[in-house]
Amino acid sequence: MQVSSPIREPLIHGGKTMHDVSEDICRQVEAKPSKGWMAGFAVSLAILGIGSISVGALLWDGIGVWGLNKTVGWAWDITNFVWWVGIGHAGTLISAVLLLFRQKWRMSINRAAEAMTIFAVICALMFPGLHMGRLWLGFYWALPLPNTFGSLWVNFNSPLLWDVFAITTYFTVSLVFWYVGLIPDFATIRDRAKSKVSRAIYGGLAMGWMGGAKDWSRYESVSLILAGLATPLVLSVHTIVSMDFATSVIPGWHTTIFPPYFVAGAIFSGFAMVLTLMIVTRKLFKLEDYITIGHIELMNIVIIVTGSIVGIAYITEFFIAWYSGVPGEQYAFINRATGPYWWAYACMMTANVISPQLFWIKKIRTSIVSTFVISIIVNIGMWFERFVIVVTSLHRDFLPSSWAMFYPTIHDVGVFLFSIGFFLTAYLLFSKYFPVINMAEVKSILKSDGEKE
Amino acid sequence: MAVGKNYLVGVFEDPDVVLDSIKSVRDSGVKIHEVFSPHAIHGIDDYLGYKQSRLPIASFFYGITGTALALFTIYWMLGFDWPMIIGGKDFVSLPPFIPVTFEFTVLLAAHGMVLTFFIVSDLKPWAKPLVFDARCTDDKYIMAIDLGANQKSKEEINKMLSDSGASEVNEKNFK
């Protein structure tokens, strides 16, 4: 007897042919920018412009323009850094981990998610760079370059230096992974291009790709090995970011749960950001047949899983603080929940632990509006998580005489806005001029997909 | 790959038809120059008799080069060139050196492999590929046969392609 598995929903709706895929995805690359896109781009540029005033002030006057003080020496800068790095985890997770698990639903979203990753990592890199005050000396201080102090080398025992290597490796590897995937699609745009200029530009980007079987065979091996390399890489990056805190002796930071807890949080916030962007992108470029409710539901399930891991981690931290019997540790956690920053803690708990649990209800996880709202709430919640970890652990120092509060200045806000403006501007430019969906991969699943219909 | 001048180009609509056609064309002793497709076709390497790519092996060697280079450099810098006491610990100990070593391994393995891929597949911004039929980046599967490299006549190969499912067979001449 023949056993057949239950028929699944096709991944791509609308009975598309391969030519339809080329048409649908290349349409907005070839057309004049739409009004919606222009409006979004204007807003992004405005945010970027306002933020750049603060970046200018910071570079001119130094980091004294921020609200940091002697007790709270790390606040929005590292909060924003960790937040952006976390967001930057979803792209590689979607394209690498889901490739290794042969999850074909990744194909509609991996391109945009990887682009988001790259821009988010650039935003993250801004903060340690700007925190150095003198951006132009960053390479000299952070990399093991020969220098005139001896040579006095960088400290390879320090997690901050591990971060330099982890984030730069992650950034460049994500960039080539993304670019290798783009090459066949650039070739499609090149061969459709009407004007000489776009033919030359996309031709250069496609680097002479014609889609020969030998090249495809190499392309597949490269994708597989890059995915295999990127999977431990993506886990190592946030592990190392968490070690910036976990290897210190500050109560509230010095916990062994940090690496898995940070990695889960990163995937959680990254998927939330992917959802926010994909819901807007599919609407703006009419990609409802490619990014279906099924895709959104699957991403929401990832959010439930990672959100629950994060929730358990919060509770475990509390339990271990009590169980450790260390008064400093216990105080740090009680102060977190009931001290002067209780509102930030409550905000984090509601947004990260309670709101994703709503996705257990099928109606909510298959609704575009509620998904969009919850994805934004999760992003805010994850920002507060980092703020809570950083500021509440620092502001009550070991000496009560140096206890302090942190109040952000207008330039703290401005530099954060600058990173958001940069992110939105870059994403909008990408979505207009690059193919937002991996056409070659989607074409490869049309046939097997269509047969099930 | 030697570049000929006169080619016969079969255009196909379906990946499975191409695979069957490759089999029948190769069984009759005709050499195929290359098959072009808008997406990767699984199993096409076996039909065309291509060996598995050795890029993963190259990547492994780039990777262990990275491991060795990173460990050597860190030990030399912190252990020999300028030893420093940091937190009262040993000048050199392996565990804190592992993260940077791991990242550097991945860095070299990934970039080395991608650069090698660009070189062996001759991918470069100024590349001028032979275009047999530009529709192969949209929705057609293209089989190119170099007439100069085959004994059989043009008519025979043309018939073979049409019989095995090609929707069009065109001649393409390069100068």
Side-chain angles (χ1 to χ4, degrees):
Chain A
M1 198 187 86
Q2 197 192 348
V3 180
S4 58
S5 53
I7 296 171
R8 288 196 196 171
E9 266 280 285
L11 289 170
I12 309 296
H13 291 179
K16 302 282 181 190
T17 64
M18 289 205 287
H19 185 65
D20 293 338
V21 174
S22 309
E23 286 288 328
D24 290 345
I25 311 302
C26 294
R27 196 191 303 122
Q28 91 267 355
V29 177
E30 290 159 357
K32 286 230 154 58
S34 68
K35 280 212 178 88
W37 186 88
M38 293 285 262
F41 195 62
V43 172
S44 313
L45 279 184
I47 299 174
L48 187 69
I50 294 167
S52 61
I53 299 169
S54 288
V55 172
L58 180 105
L59 291 177
W60 189 257
D61 290 331
I63 53 165
V65 301
W66 281 344
L68 303 176
N69 52 50
K70 187 171 71 62
T71 310
V72 186
W74 255 10
W76 277 41
D77 43 9
I78 194 84
T79 302
N80 297 339
F81 164 75
V82 181
W83 189 67
W84 279 120
V85 176
I87 288 170
H89 271 50
T92 308
L93 188 98
I94 287 171
S95 44
V97 180
L98 298 185
L99 186 146
L100 295 182
F101 284 122
R102 304 264 177 244
Q103 293 293 310
K104 292 191 170 171
W105 59 273
R106 78 176 191 279
M107 289 175 180
S108 298
I109 50 171
N110 57 4
R111 168 72 43 78
E114 282 171 44
M116 182 208 79
T117 287
I118 288 160
F119 306 139
V121 175
I122 296 174
C123 289
L125 281 169
M126 277 177 203
F127 288 95
L130 291 172
H131 199 168
M132 283 191 281
R134 295 181 216 169
L135 209 48
W136 49 95
L137 290 176
F139 281 105
Y140 193 54
W141 286 337
L143 295 177
L145 298 175
N147 55 61
T148 49
F149 309 125
S151 298
L152 186 62
W153 300 111
V154 290
N155 180 9
F156 285 98
N157 298 293
S158 163
L160 295 176
L161 188 76
W162 305 346
D163 243 355
V164 172
F165 278 85
I167 308 262
T168 46
T169 302
Y170 182 60
F171 173 65
T172 57
V173 171
S174 305
L175 192 68
V176 295
F177 197 8
W178 183 62
Y179 189 74
V180 168
L182 274 163
I183 289 172
D185 286 1
F186 282 142
T188 306
I189 301 177
R190 170 197 67 200
D191 292 339
R192 291 165 51 92
K194 303 253 169 9
S195 82
K196 253 199 172 128
V197 178
S198 60
R199 216 186 144 73
I201 292 171
Y202 289 108
L205 288 169
M207 304 210 292
W209 177 268
M210 283 312 296
K214 190 96 211 174
D215 293 341
W216 273 121
S217 156
R218 293 184 186 128
Y219 170 97
E220 295 264 278
S221 324
V222 167
S223 303
L224 186 65
I225 300 295
L226 277 182
L229 288 169
T231 301
L233 179 64
V234 72
L235 300 179
S236 82
V237 171
H238 228 62
T239 301
I240 290 174
V241 168
S242 80
M243 285 172 177
D244 291 345
F245 302 99
T247 56
S248 72
V249 291
I250 306 294
W253 289 0
H254 186 65
T255 53
T256 47
I257 199 180
F258 261 32
Y261 156 36
F262 268 49
V263 170
I267 298 165
F268 180 53
S269 66
F271 268 73
M273 189 57 106
V274 171
L275 277 168
T276 312
L277 290 178
M278 290 322 271
I279 287 171
V280 177
T281 309
R282 82 197 273 274
K283 187 88 197 149
L284 204 58
F285 297 132
K286 302 187 180 61
L287 296 170
E288 284 90 345
D289 286 334
Y290 296 90
I291 303 158
T292 62
I293 300 290
H295 288 102
I296 290 171
E297 189 180 355
L298 285 167
M299 283 192 270
N300 282 338
I301 290 171
V302 176
I303 292 213
I304 305 179
V305 173
T306 49
S308 306
I309 297 175
V310 169
I312 289 170
Y314 293 162
I315 298 162
T316 311
E317 272 190 319
F318 248 89
F319 171 77
I320 295 295
W322 165 75
Y323 190 68
S324 71
V326 179
E329 196 73 27
Q330 290 167 344
Y331 176 74
F333 281 91
I334 289 169
N335 178 47
R336 234 177 228 190
T338 60
Y341 286 108
W342 67 271
W343 50 273
Y345 187 82
C347 186
M348 154 189 126
M349 274 296 192
T350 332
N352 293 348
V353 185
I354 298 166
S355 76
Q357 300 303 325
L358 293 173
F359 283 142
W360 287 103
I361 302 160
K362 185 155 176 123
K363 236 197 181 124
I364 293 180
R365 73 170 181 264
T366 52
S367 147
I368 307 250
V369 177
S370 60
T371 303
F372 187 71
V373 172
I374 292 178
S375 75
I376 287 179
I377 291 175
V378 166
N379 273 316
I380 296 170
M382 284 309 288
W383 190 90
F384 272 103
E385 180 203 293
R386 279 65 179 255
F387 180 79
V388 164
I389 292 174
V390 173
V391 174
T392 66
S393 304
L394 285 176
H395 84 120
R396 294 266 158 111
D397 204 343
F398 294 107
L399 282 175
S401 58
S402 40
W403 286 7
M405 293 292 284
F406 169 76
Y407 300 103
T409 65
I410 190 153
H411 295 306
D412 279 291
V413 184
V415 176
F416 185 41
L417 280 182
F418 179 81
S419 68
I420 291 177
F422 170 84
F423 180 76
L424 293 177
T425 310
Y427 184 80
L428 281 169
L429 281 175
F430 152 78
S431 63
K432 170 65 187 74
Y433 292 104
F434 283 15
V436 276
I437 286 177
N438 192 332
M439 292 188 270
E441 284 198 339
V442 166
K443 283 173 186 172
S444 75
I445 54 168
L446 282 181
K447 190 158 187 259
S448 54
D449 212 31
E451 277 165 356
K452 288 179 195 135
E453 276 187 284
Chain B
M1 216 178 287
V3 178
K5 277 183 178 167
N6 302 313
Y7 290 87
L8 214 51
V9 178
V11 181
F12 297 81
E13 310 282 339
D14 188 290
D16 296 332
V17 178
V18 183
L19 291 182
D20 292 341
S21 177
I22 293 170
K23 192 169 170 10
S24 64
V25 168
R26 277 179 47 116
D27 283 352
S28 63
V30 174
K31 267 205 252 166
I32 296 173
H33 173 67
E34 183 60 301
V35 176
F36 299 90
S37 56
H39 59 81
I41 304 172
H42 280 285
I44 195 168
D45 299 4
D46 300 334
Y47 282 84
L48 284 166
Y50 289 161
K51 284 198 208 100
Q52 217 190 343
S53 167
R54 283 167 299 174
L55 282 167
I57 302 168
S59 176
F60 175 76
F61 283 103
Y62 292 125
I64 55 169
T65 309
T67 316
L69 198 63
L71 275 181
F72 174 82
T73 311
I74 298 171
Y75 268 96
W76 175 75
M77 283 177 177
L78 294 193
F80 298 94
D81 189 51
W82 189 281
M84 274 183 293
I85 298 171
I86 296 159
K89 292 173 197 144
D90 295 345
F91 292 137
V92 287
S93 68
L94 191 58
F97 299 165
I98 293 302
V100 171
T101 307
F102 168 76
E103 303 298 336
F104 205 65
T105 305
V106 171
L107 189 77
L108 287 206
H111 292 290
M113 176 179 56
V114 170
L115 282 180
T116 313
F117 166 55
F118 287 171
I119 292 166
V120 292
S121 282
D122 198 28
L123 295 172
K124 53 197 177 202
W126 57 92
K128 294 259 178 294
L130 289 183
V131 181
F132 294 98
D133 193 322
R135 289 174 295 171
C136 68
T137 56
D138 180 15
D139 62 344
K140 296 287 190 276
Y141 303 86
I142 306 293
M143 190 194 297
I145 295 172
D146 186 351
L147 290 171
N150 281 296
Q151 303 297 323
K152 285 201 168 46
S153 72
K154 192 161 71 181
E155 287 69 30
E156 272 178 295
I157 299 173
N158 192 330
K159 188 170 178 314
M160 204 183 288
L161 285 174
S162 317
D163 287 351
S164 60
S167 60
E168 301 167 27
V169 182
N170 306 315
E171 221 184 311
K172 186 92 188 173
N173 299 313
F174 294 99
K175 282 193 189 108

